[in-house]
Amino acid sequence: MDRRQFLSTSAAALAATSLPFTPAASMSLPAMTAQQIINALVADIPGAPFPNTVDTIKAGDPNTPVKGIVTTMFATNEVIGKTISLGANFIIAHEPTFYNHADETAWLGDDPALNNKQALLRQHGIVVWRFHDGIHAHKPDGIRMGVLQALSWDKYYNPDQPSITNLPKPIPLSDLIVHCKKSLKIGKLKFIGDLTQSCKKIALAPGASGGRKQIGLIQQYQPDVLICGELNEWETSEYVRDLNYSKKISLIVLGHSVSEEPGMEWLVPVLKQKAPGIPVTHLPSGDPHSFM
Amino acid sequence: MDRRQFLSTSAAALAATSLPFTPAASMSLPAMTAQQIINALVADIPGAPFPNTVDTIKAGDPNTPVKGIVTTMFATNEVIGKTISLGANFIIAHEPTFYNHADETAWLGDDPALNNKQALLRQHGIVVWRFHDGIHAHKPDGIRMGVLQALSWDKYYNPDQPSITNLPKPIPLSDLIVHCKKSLKIGKLKFIGDLTQSCKKIALAPGASGGRKQIGLIQQYQPDVLICGELNEWETSEYVRDLNYSKKISLIVLGHSVSEEPGMEWLVPVLKQKAPGIPVTHLPSGDPHSFM
């Protein structure tokens, strides 16, 4: 069903069945479905729709009329609960819902975490869609722009070197860590480096892009510091530890969820434009870890 | 060259070339080569030698006569430097030397971290061999036994459920974390859970065994807490966060290096038996990260 067909069909359905109890406002603007909102977002992504993508429906019926949208990093039970309280029924999450990149569920079997979440979503008619490959492929990368804005570094953005932030003045690593923690609302983070090291050229890789990409960024740009969301310790951490024998370089590990969260907040005004009249709320899923 | 052939050849070589300056002790016990020591270790591993294994020579000539052995988690530059100071020339490392599981180096190209480490090893004639798949396949798993001993939990070891430790009395999560930090010399670690939770059944997964294995342990044994070395946040951390909605469960993330280090110390007496007369030293590579 295309958008125009949907509009006329749903208007007819409303007229036929809901007239006595439907307020005038609802009559004037028939709800978009989750799929129509997805289509509107994907229309802006160069090269999309992608043949192989993790950006698929994880729960619910994409033809559901949307009452409210929530953006988040992870569709946790807490985020789902708050979505229900808000009266929203469409969650756009950047990361997997079921604990693996492809959101495969067969391997989990009869699992309480899986069953509870699926039941909660089903019971409340909530649609979950992942927006990962698409938002990263957007020009500019929406996740990166959100994070740069949160760090007040968007003014240094250079589309020819999107991963590189050149600060106007060098600052000590300790100040850089404090700035990241404050800007991204991080309680504690791990790092490698000398806290007095002077940092000017920063390579920023939110999320978990993997050892070869993270090491490749260091090789290509020779930054003073690499800031990432998550890493494999036997890859990037050990590379940075060894590289420090020939060149002073630091590493800041923000945590996966908090490193990309502002990107899903960046999406809010985009969605308000694509789905006029539908409330859009960003709910941070937050870092699940504590430190001791 | 087999062991017996080596022994007669090297004894003849010593007699022919080195007599005036060779002390009597060296005459009585010709050095074993790195390969002979590897063969002696692998002989104890059920099913070994494995057709596909990461347990390969990473640097140096396996026919090098060994003057001293160092065991460690990562053959960092610091560990290599201390090995040189000790006069040793054979490093047995549990984890990769070149920043990826298979120790492939072509993708790194002309890289300063790679070049420096390879030059240092070559210059000092040091052999590096990885002992990962083998020590885990040993009965019992040598890494696990070392970690259990360090935690004083080896007395609770049950070969039918090697991953499970049942403490005789439940302890709060906060005490369990303190015990892990003290026993394994950890400065700071991350966790998920309620610090007052009572913990008795513990699933212990040192290293980075991956989301499906870590989640599988929780499904199979329903422990109070999973203790692991390293994880992918979008897998195990999010699973534990969701599972907490139906069952109280905690997660302790020790850090990769420190979570398996005692296993490479466990190897020291084994090596002393396999390579009599050769000095064996354990050098902890330590956690490269700090926290702020």
Side-chain angles (χ1 to χ4, degrees):
Chain A
M1 198 192 296
D2 69 10
R3 177 88 208 271
R4 192 192 296 171
Q5 191 190 346
F6 166 80
L7 287 174
S8 60
T9 314
S10 82
L14 269 176
T17 64
S18 310
L19 251 184
F21 306 104
T22 307
S26 299
M27 288 298 295
S28 66
L29 199 70
M32 289 174 80
T33 65
Q35 188 61 56
Q36 288 171 323
I37 295 168
I38 293 167
N39 294 349
L41 282 177
V42 169
D44 285 353
I45 311 298
F50 305 117
N52 295 310
T53 179
V54 292
D55 293 4
T56 58
I57 296 282
K58 308 303 180 185
D61 178 355
N63 295 314
T64 305
V66 172
K67 294 182 288 176
I69 306 170
V70 161
T71 69
T72 192
M73 275 294 290
F74 289 93
T76 63
N77 283 301
E78 191 183 345
V79 166
I80 296 168
K82 288 182 180 172
T83 300
I84 295 163
S85 302
L86 286 169
N89 63 346
F90 184 29
I91 297 175
I92 302 181
H94 185 62
E95 291 299 351
T97 302
F98 301 119
Y99 332 119
N100 66 107
H101 186 57
D103 275 311
E104 289 163 2
T105 54
W107 67 279
L108 282 160
D110 182 22
D111 181 272
L114 171 71
N115 293 346
N116 284 348
K117 190 184 256 187
Q118 286 186 327
L120 187 65
L121 291 166
R122 201 165 37 236
Q123 193 185 337
H124 294 272
I126 291 171
V127 182
V128 179
W129 177 62
R130 186 172 178 195
F131 193 33
H132 178 274
D133 301 346
I135 194 167
H136 282 306
H138 186 269
K139 299 286 173 193
D141 177 335
I143 296 292
R144 178 174 300 284
M145 290 319 290
V147 177
L148 287 174
Q149 285 164 8
L151 290 161
S152 306
W153 292 349
D154 47 319
K155 53 186 174 285
Y156 311 129
Y157 177 73
N158 173 358
D160 295 331
Q161 296 190 342
S163 304
I164 299 300
T165 295
N166 273 298
L167 298 179
K169 275 193 247 174
I171 60 170
L173 176 63
S174 57
D175 289 5
L176 181 61
I177 292 175
V178 168
H179 176 71
C180 289
K181 286 173 69 173
K182 202 171 162 188
S183 308
L184 302 175
K185 301 178 189 73
I186 296 171
K188 208 167 273 292
L189 54 72
K190 63 182 186 181
F191 72 97
I192 297 177
D194 170 359
L195 286 170
T196 67
Q197 188 204 339
S198 184
C199 298
K200 192 175 189 301
K201 190 196 267 193
I202 298 164
L204 179 65
S209 47
R212 294 199 183 199
K213 280 195 186 171
Q214 290 163 346
I215 291 168
L217 272 179
I218 295 174
Q219 290 184 319
Q220 189 175 354
Y221 297 109
Q222 304 193 40
D224 300 313
V225 54
L226 169 70
I227 302 179
C228 71
E230 183 176 358
L231 48 66
N232 292 325
E233 294 181 15
W234 70 91
E235 294 174 341
T236 311
S237 299
E238 291 302 328
Y239 178 80
V240 169
R241 170 146 69 169
D242 272 0
L243 191 56
N244 262 300
Y245 268 68
S246 56
K247 172 190 160 48
K248 212 166 199 181
I249 180 163
S250 296
L251 171 72
I252 299 175
V253 188
L254 302 170
H256 194 146
S257 189
V258 291
S259 80
E260 296 189 296
E261 193 75 76
M264 295 310 281
E265 203 165 359
W266 172 91
L267 193 58
V268 172
V270 177
L271 279 164
K272 285 187 173 164
Q273 200 178 27
K274 297 286 181 189
I278 298 179
V280 188
T281 310
H282 175 68
L283 295 177
S285 46
D287 192 321
H289 307 99
S290 302
F291 291 83
M292 184 168 153
Chain B
M1 200 192 296
D2 70 10
R3 178 88 208 273
R4 191 193 296 172
Q5 191 190 343
F6 166 80
L7 286 174
S8 59
T9 312
S10 84
L14 268 174
T17 65
S18 310
L19 251 185
F21 305 103
T22 308
S26 298
M27 289 298 294
S28 65
L29 199 71
M32 289 174 79
T33 65
Q35 189 60 56
Q36 287 171 323
I37 295 168
I38 294 168
N39 294 349
L41 282 178
V42 169
D44 285 352
I45 312 297
F50 305 117
N52 294 311
T53 180
V54 293
D55 293 5
T56 58
I57 296 282
K58 309 302 180 184
D61 178 354
N63 296 315
T64 304
V66 171
K67 294 182 288 176
I69 306 170
V70 160
T71 69
T72 193
M73 275 293 290
F74 289 93
T76 63
N77 284 302
E78 192 183 344
V79 166
I80 296 168
K82 287 181 181 171
T83 301
I84 295 164
S85 301
L86 285 168
N89 63 346
F90 184 28
I91 297 175
I92 302 181
H94 186 61
E95 291 298 352
T97 302
F98 301 119
Y99 332 119
N100 67 105
H101 186 55
D103 275 312
E104 289 163 2
T105 54
W107 66 280
L108 282 161
D110 182 23
D111 181 90
L114 172 71
N115 293 346
N116 283 349
K117 191 184 256 186
Q118 286 186 327
L120 188 64
L121 291 166
R122 201 168 34 237
Q123 193 185 338
H124 294 272
I126 291 172
V127 182
V128 179
W129 177 62
R130 186 172 179 195
F131 192 33
H132 177 274
D133 300 347
I135 194 168
H136 282 307
H138 186 268
K139 298 288 175 196
D141 177 335
I143 296 291
R144 179 174 299 286
M145 292 318 290
V147 177
L148 288 173
Q149 284 165 6
L151 290 161
S152 306
W153 292 348
D154 47 318
K155 53 187 173 286
Y156 311 129
Y157 177 72
N158 173 357
D160 295 330
Q161 296 189 345
S163 304
I164 299 300
T165 295
N166 274 297
L167 298 179
K169 276 193 248 175
I171 60 169
L173 176 62
S174 57
D175 289 5
L176 181 60
I177 292 175
V178 168
H179 176 70
C180 289
K181 286 173 67 173
K182 201 172 162 186
S183 307
L184 302 175
K185 302 178 188 74
I186 295 171
K188 207 166 276 290
L189 54 73
K190 62 183 187 178
F191 71 98
I192 297 178
D194 170 358
L195 286 171
T196 67
Q197 188 203 338
S198 184
C199 299
K200 192 175 189 300
K201 190 196 268 192
I202 298 164
L204 179 65
S209 48
R212 294 200 182 198
K213 280 196 186 169
Q214 290 164 346
I215 291 168
L217 272 179
I218 295 174
Q219 290 184 319
Q220 188 175 354
Y221 297 109
Q222 304 193 39
D224 300 313
V225 55
L226 169 69
I227 302 179
C228 70
E230 183 176 357
L231 47 66
N232 292 326
E233 295 182 14
W234 71 91
E235 294 175 340
T236 311
S237 298
E238 292 302 328
Y239 178 80
V240 169
R241 168 144 72 167
D242 272 0
L243 191 57
N244 262 301
Y245 268 68
S246 57
K247 173 190 160 48
K248 211 165 199 180
I249 179 161
S250 296
L251 172 72
I252 299 175
V253 188
L254 302 170
H256 194 144
S257 189
V258 290
S259 80
E260 295 188 297
E261 193 76 76
M264 295 310 281
E265 203 164 0
W266 172 91
L267 193 59
V268 171
V270 177
L271 278 164
K272 284 186 173 167
Q273 200 177 29
K274 297 287 181 189
I278 297 179
V280 187
T281 310
H282 175 69
L283 296 177
S285 46
D287 192 320
H289 307 99
S290 302
F291 291 83
M292 183 168 155

